[in-house]
Amino acid sequence: MKTILLTLCIFLSFLTIAYANKPTTGNTEDLRLYTLDCGSITVHDIASFSDNGFYPHEAMQFSTPCFLIKDPKGWLLWDLGMGDQYLGHTVEDKKHDVSITVKKSLIQQLKSLGLSPNDIKFVSLSHTHFDHTGNVSLFPNAVWLIDEREYAYASQHPLPHQANSAAIAALQQDHKILLKGDYDVFGDGKVEILSTPGHTPGHASLEIHLPHTGVVILSGDLYHTRKAYELKLIPSFNTDRAQTQASMAKIDAILKSTNGRLVIEHDTGDIAALPQFPNYLN
């Protein structure tokens, strides 16, 4: 009898652990950060990613993830990757001198969590460059959160070189909140959009206060690589160098005061170090 009870206890313990780590769309009160695979991009010449000549004229591959945040008050999708329209084949984009690859569908990844685009309450973009806005047309019922300077910048005629015309058309039609600085998404202090201009006029980063991991900051394109963070490299195509430096200092101060973790969205090593979907940080 004792042996049976011991076996049952062990089984229940394993079951409890497995259930705790299982992704779910239930009404739990914890905060979660999922990293979704929304493609990759190979830049054929990265020399312009530093204005001091640090990078040579060579190719580099970058990740282009999407991030799904589960809050008790709803779901937020941060950045939208390359787009499901590229699924299953590599595309040579001569305009931007890049190769685009998408191996997994954003829609299917959401579906694996029991979600559809209509379940996403908020969508927010770090900025409106084409590699962050590829799936913009999939969420017509979401509320868009975007810096008012970024919206004005991306609505220029002609469009900025790296802006996505389809994204801008969608944003002009859909319901949105134009932000004027830092913004508390759910009003509970856990998820905050941080104004970090410089890469573009209304560029933003995302600060998340996870219950177990602590503070995590998604950097958008404030940095493109871990080396860029270490050396404070600034791309020559940023719209404002001084603003970029001020934004870097702002993020550094938050990381120092919170002992936070910086996730550089385009750095393949940073993304590989995160729990692989459907696992999550909490």
Side-chain angles (χ1 to χ4, degrees), residues 23-28 32 34 70 75 110 113-115:
T24 165
T25 58
N27 191 28
T28 55
R32 300 176 183 179
Y34 295 90
K70 178 184 181 294
W75 294 90
L110 292 175
L113 294 178
L115 299 173

Side-chain angles (χ1 to χ4, degrees), residues 14-32:
F14 278 117
L15 185 63
T16 301
I17 292 170
Y19 182 79
N21 289 312
K22 181 181 178 182
T24 165
T25 58
N27 191 28
T28 55
E29 292 298 309
D30 60 337
L31 187 67
R32 300 176 183 179

Side-chain angles (χ1 to χ4, degrees), residues 8 38 82 90 94 100 107 122 152 176-177 188 198 208 213 268:
L8 181 60
C38 289
M82 299 306 313
T90 297
K94 294 183 178 180
I100 297 167
I107 290 293
F122 297 111
K176 55 189 168 291
I177 299 174
D188 54 15
I208 310 157
T213 304
T268 57

Side-chain angles (χ1 to χ4, degrees), residues 82-119:
M82 299 306 313
D84 280 8
Q85 67 268 26
Y86 296 112
L87 186 64
H89 58 281
T90 297
V91 174
E92 296 297 328
D93 182 340
K94 294 183 178 180
K95 175 184 176 182
H96 302 108
D97 194 26
V98 300
S99 299
I100 297 167
T101 303
V102 176
K103 296 181 179 180
K104 297 181 180 181
S105 163
L106 172 58
I107 290 293
Q108 289 302 314
Q109 289 176 85
L110 292 175
K111 188 177 180 179
S112 71
L113 294 178
L115 299 173
S116 74
N118 290 336
D119 293 309

Side-chain angles (χ1 to χ4, degrees), residues 48-51 127 129 149-150 153 194-205 219-225 228-229 231-253 262:
S48 63
F49 282 69
S50 62
D51 62 6
H127 61 299
H129 283 173
R149 296 164 297 179
E150 188 69 12
Y153 162 76
L194 303 174
S195 175
T196 52
H199 181 63
T200 58
H203 182 275
S205 304
S219 68
D221 276 13
L222 183 58
Y223 306 103
H224 290 85
T225 66
Y229 167 66
L231 300 180
K232 299 298 184 281
L233 302 177
I234 298 176
S236 60
F237 51 85
N238 276 22
T239 57
D240 192 301
R241 196 177 202 280
Q243 282 187 344
T244 302
Q245 290 175 316
S247 294
M248 289 176 173
K250 176 179 180 176
I251 294 302
D252 277 349
L262 179 68

